[in-house]
Amino acid sequence: MNLFIVVSAAVFLLISVAYLPLLNDLYWSTLKSLTPPVGIVADLLVRNGTIFTSDSSLPFADSMAIRNGRILKVGSFATLKGFIGDGTMEVNLEGKIVVPGLIDSHVHLISGGLQMAQVGLRGVSQKDEFCKMVKDAVQIAKEGSWILGGGWNNDFWGGELPSASWIDEISPHNPVWLIRMDGHMALANSLALRIAGVTSLTEDPVGGTIMRMPSGEPTGLLIDAAMELVTPWVKEISVDERREALFRASKYALTRGVTTVIDLGRYFPGTTDELSWKDFQDVYLYADSSKKMMIRTCLFFPITTWSRLSDLKLQKGSVLSEWLYLGGVKAFIDGSLGSSSALFYEEYIDTPNNYGLEVMDPEKLSNFTMAADKSGLQVAIHAIGDKANDIILDMYESVAVANGYRDRRFRIEHAQHLAPGSANRFGQLHIVASVQPDHLLDDADSVARKIGSERAEKESYLFQSLLNGNALLALGSDWPVADINPLHSIRTAVKRIPPKWDHAWIPSERISFTDALIAQTISAARGAFLDHHLGSLSPGKLADFVILSTNSWDEFSKDVSASVLATYVGGKQLYP
C-alpha cells in the first residue's frame, strides 16, 4: 500500500513538471489579454477625469496612458493600470475635464509676439487714450527711432478714422507706424510719410489706397498694397527681437491651451514675401535645432514663392520635426471689412462707389494657384467679401478640374461673407473653411453701417450653413488681429452674442458645442494635413492635452465657461 502511494506521487510529480511550461504559457497569454503588454510602462498616467478625445471611436474616457510623448491608450483606469510601473507619474484629475491640445488654425505668431512688446492699442475706445499711448511711447524712445504698434479699431470709438494730425504734434522727431487690428490698414504720422516720400502726387498702387483729404494730401492712412510705400522704410527688426517674439508668443499661447498653430507668417498686403522665409531661417530653424520650441507650428509661405517651398518639401518632407511642419502657400484676393477693402458684389453703403479691392490680379493668382497645386502644395487664400469668396471658389474648382483629382484640401481663410448658395460649395468642392469666430464680435456693430442689415443678416459668418453643406470647418483667431483664445472662440461660435448685446447675432448660424470643439481640434488638424499626428487623443498620436478648471461636462458644454489649468505638450507639462 505504501509503495503504491509513493509510485503514484512520483508519477503525478513527473506529469506536473512536464506540463508546467504549457500551464505557464496559458497563464501569461490569459493575463496579456486582460492587461497591457508585459514590460511596457507608461511615463505618465492621467486618471479620474472626463477626457474628451475628439476621436469618434471612443469619444470619452476617464484615463490616459502616455509613453515617450505619445498616447499608449485611453479608456477606463481598470484597463490602463497595468501600464503603471517604476517611474510612472500619475496625475489625479479629481474629476476635471481634459480636451485635446487646442489648435489655432490661423495665426501670425511672430507678429503677435512682436506686437506684445510694442504700442498695444487693442481695446482702445477713445481718441484721447489712443493719443496718450503714442505719446507715452515717444517719451521713452530715442529721438529718430520708429514707434511701432497696432491693434486699433476705429469702430470702438464710433467709427472716425484716425489721421496723422492726431499724433503729429506729439511725435515731431519720431516716425510712427500703427497697424489697424485687421492688418489691412495702417496710420503713419507726417514724418513717416516724408521719410517714405508719400505726397499728394503719389499715385495709389494696384491693390491699395492712399486715404486723402479734399486737398489731395495724404491723411496718413494707407490701405492694403499702399502700406508697402512705408514698410520698406520701417526699421529692420533684429533676429534676436524676432526670436524673443516667438518665445513670448509661444508662452502666451500655452496659457490659452494652444499646443499647435497654423502660422500664416508676417505676410500681408504691403509687405515683402521674404519676411516669412527670413523667420523660417532665422527663428524657427534656430528654435527647433536648439530645442527651444514650445508649441507645434505648421508654416505657410507666400504663394509667390511656391517653387521654393516645393523644392524644400521635396528635399526635407513635410515633417521637419515633431515641432515644425511645412504646410502650404498663402495668398490674398481682397482686404478687410473694417478697412472697407473686402470685395463685394454691391457697393459699401458708407462709401458709395466702393466695392472693395482686388489686392492681387485674379488671373495672376489663378496661375500661381495652378502651379502650386500641380506641385502638390496646399493652397490657402484670404477671402472676406462675398464676391472675393466666389472668385476663389470658382478658381479652386477650375484648378482641381485641370490638375486632376487628389486630396488637396484647398483652404479659404476667413470666408466671412458668402453669397446665397456659396456655403454649400465648400463641401461640394472639399474646401476647408478656416474661420475666426471672434471677428464677428468686432463686426456686429459696424457691418450694417457698411453693407446694410439685410445683406449682413444673409451672408455673415455662416458657420452652421457651412457645416450643413459638409464643409470641413476649422476655427482660429487670426492673432494678433483678435486674441489667441480658443475657448473664447468656441464660446463665440456657440453663442454669437457680441459685447453689450443681450441676444445672438444671426442665431440660426450658431453651432453646437461639440461641433465647435471638433473644429478647434481634429478638424483643425485635418485642415492642415496634421491629423495623422495631432488633433485627437488617440493611441499613437502625440500626447498634447489641456486640463480645464471645470468638473461638469454638462455645464461646460452649456456655458462654455472654463479656464486652462494646465497645458501638456508631448506628455510634458509646459504651462504653468
Side-chain angles (χ1 to χ4, degrees), residues 125-145:
S125 58
Q126 294 181 342
K127 173 183 175 180
D128 290 346
E129 185 183 1
F130 181 101
C131 296
K132 182 182 183 302
M133 294 187 73
V134 176
K135 182 178 181 180
D136 290 346
V138 170
Q139 287 178 340
I140 60 174
K142 294 179 181 178
E143 184 174 316
S145 65

Side-chain angles (χ1 to χ4, degrees), residues 178-193:
L178 306 171
I179 300 173
R180 193 179 187 274
M181 48 84 73
D182 55 17
H184 290 267
M185 179 189 285
L187 174 66
N189 68 349
S190 293
L191 178 56
L193 292 176

Side-chain angles (χ1 to χ4, degrees), residues 16 45 57 76 78 91 126 132 195 234 263 307 321 348-349 361 368 406 418 425 430 461 478 504 515 573:
S16 299
L45 193 135
S57 68
S76 67
V91 174
Q126 294 181 342
K132 182 182 183 302
I195 291 171
V234 177
D263 185 5
S307 60
S321 73
Y348 284 84
I349 291 174
D361 174 65
F368 277 128
R406 71 177 179 88
L418 301 175
R425 296 184 67 195
H430 308 290
Y461 297 93
D478 201 8
D515 283 340
Q573 184 176 331

Side-chain angles (χ1 to χ4, degrees), residues 65 69-73 532-534 536-543:
R70 292 185 178 267
I71 297 167
L72 283 173
K73 187 176 181 180
H532 292 302
H533 310 280
L534 305 164
S536 64
L537 299 178
S538 309
K541 289 193 176 183
L542 292 163

Side-chain angles (χ1 to χ4, degrees), residues 338-379:
S339 299
S340 299
S341 56
L343 186 62
F344 288 96
Y345 285 110
E346 298 179 44
E347 65 184 4
Y348 284 84
I349 291 174
D350 59 345
T351 52
N353 300 315
N354 174 27
Y355 295 82
L357 293 172
E358 289 178 353
V359 299
M360 180 179 279
D361 174 65
E363 184 178 355
K364 185 177 180 181
L365 178 56
S366 179
N367 291 336
F368 277 128
T369 302
M370 186 77 73
D373 176 71
K374 198 167 188 177
S375 75
L377 294 175
Q378 187 180 21
V379 180

Side-chain angles (χ1 to χ4, degrees), residues 68 252 286 318 389 464:
N68 293 332
Y252 183 56
Y286 162 79
S318 296
N389 275 279
Q464 187 58 53

